[in-house]
Amino acid sequence: TTMSNQVVSLKKTCFNTLRKITKIRFLLSKENLKTIVNSMVVSCLDYCNALFFGIGQKLLLQLQQIQNAASKLVMGKYKYSHMEDDLEKLHWLSVKKRIIFKIALLVYKSVNGIAPPYLSELFGYISYGNSVRLDVPSTKSRHGARAFSVIGPRIFNSLPADIRESENATIFKKKLKTYLFTKSALELNFDPRKSILVHK
């Protein structure tokens, strides 16, 4: 499939980059190494990663393997070394969490008027108790369920109110990242057909 080809291509590019960085890592401090890996590898994982929401577990695992290899390089570990809590030590969200983070941030910016109009126009609003939630369009197909206009509201609505109602994007990002760090992979539903994607 097209998505599978995209993941394979990304994995090849990132591992080639990691091999090149490995050859010069002895010249770099840990902080400089982390900066380079972030800018040349992790940033590739983040580029348009919202499109990866709802992909199969096999493809998601391949993306995670890239980040795992990047973290081992920064932490000075060998290929088959145990990961332990390296991602947390580096303050990196896992790939699955980074995808959710990106979508939630785009929605926050959209509903607060700091995103392009074509994104803001995708969302409608409904009353939900004492609060206002985003309307989730109905869809019958799996592809339709992965549309930003559908998964965006589902993810955003499932976040705690104090995160959704953050005063600005900087505070939103800080609160959201902290929140996602407290969630295990099993608590994050990656099925676009489900109504709640981030369980409290």
Side-chain angles (χ1 to χ4, degrees):
T1 65
T2 302
M3 191 60 70
S4 177
N5 292 339
Q6 173 65 22
V7 171
V8 170
S9 176
L10 179 61
K11 187 176 180 181
K12 181 179 179 181
T13 299
C14 288
F15 273 98
N16 282 338
T17 301
L18 286 171
R19 278 191 286 270
K20 293 176 181 177
I21 297 174
T22 299
K23 294 178 181 179
I24 62 166
R25 69 177 178 181
F26 68 94
L27 299 172
L28 305 167
S29 66
K30 184 177 178 179
E31 281 306 309
N32 286 339
L33 181 59
K34 180 181 177 181
T35 298
I36 291 174
V37 171
N38 252 324
S39 63
M40 298 184 69
V41 179
V42 179
S43 63
C44 292
L45 285 173
D46 290 340
Y47 181 71
C48 293
N49 64 348
L51 297 175
F52 290 134
F53 188 89
I55 62 173
Q57 185 61 32
K58 184 177 179 180
L59 292 180
L60 186 64
L61 178 59
Q62 290 189 59
L63 293 174
Q64 189 58 56
Q65 287 173 346
I66 298 171
Q67 190 185 38
N68 291 350
S71 70
K72 287 180 181 180
L73 175 56
V74 175
M75 298 299 289
K77 291 188 173 183
Y78 294 104
K79 181 178 179 180
Y80 297 106
S81 298
H82 186 60
M83 280 290 296
E84 297 178 340
D85 55 352
D86 291 346
L87 294 182
E88 187 174 345
K89 288 179 180 177
L90 292 169
H91 210 54
W92 288 355
L93 292 170
S94 67
V95 169
K96 180 189 258 188
K97 293 178 180 180
R98 296 176 89 88
I99 293 170
I100 292 174
F101 180 94
K102 174 67 74 62
I103 294 171
L105 178 59
L106 285 174
V107 176
Y108 176 86
K109 289 182 175 181
S110 298
V111 299
N112 285 280
I114 50 177
Y118 68 85
L119 289 180
S120 302
E121 292 168 0
L122 293 175
F123 306 115
Y125 302 87
I126 56 174
S127 296
Y128 187 86
N130 296 322
S131 63
V132 175
R133 298 291 185 92
L134 296 178
D135 183 34
V136 180
S138 60
T139 178
K140 295 181 179 180
S141 70
R142 184 175 178 83
H143 288 297
R146 289 179 58 189
F148 179 62
S149 59
V150 178
I151 60 170
R154 282 179 172 163
I155 290 176
F156 195 74
N157 288 344
S158 67
L159 295 175
D162 70 300
I163 297 179
R164 298 196 312 270
E165 298 167 5
S166 296
E167 294 178 10
N168 56 58
T170 300
I171 294 175
F172 177 81
K173 288 189 288 185
K174 183 177 181 179
K175 286 184 176 181
L176 178 59
K177 189 171 185 179
T178 299
Y179 175 75
L180 290 175
F181 265 122
T182 68
K183 298 297 177 182
S184 69
L186 295 177
E187 291 179 284
L188 301 176
N189 190 350
F190 218 55
D191 187 339
R193 293 167 296 184
K194 302 293 183 179
S195 59
I196 300 297
L197 299 170
V198 183
H199 298 290
K200 300 174 186 176

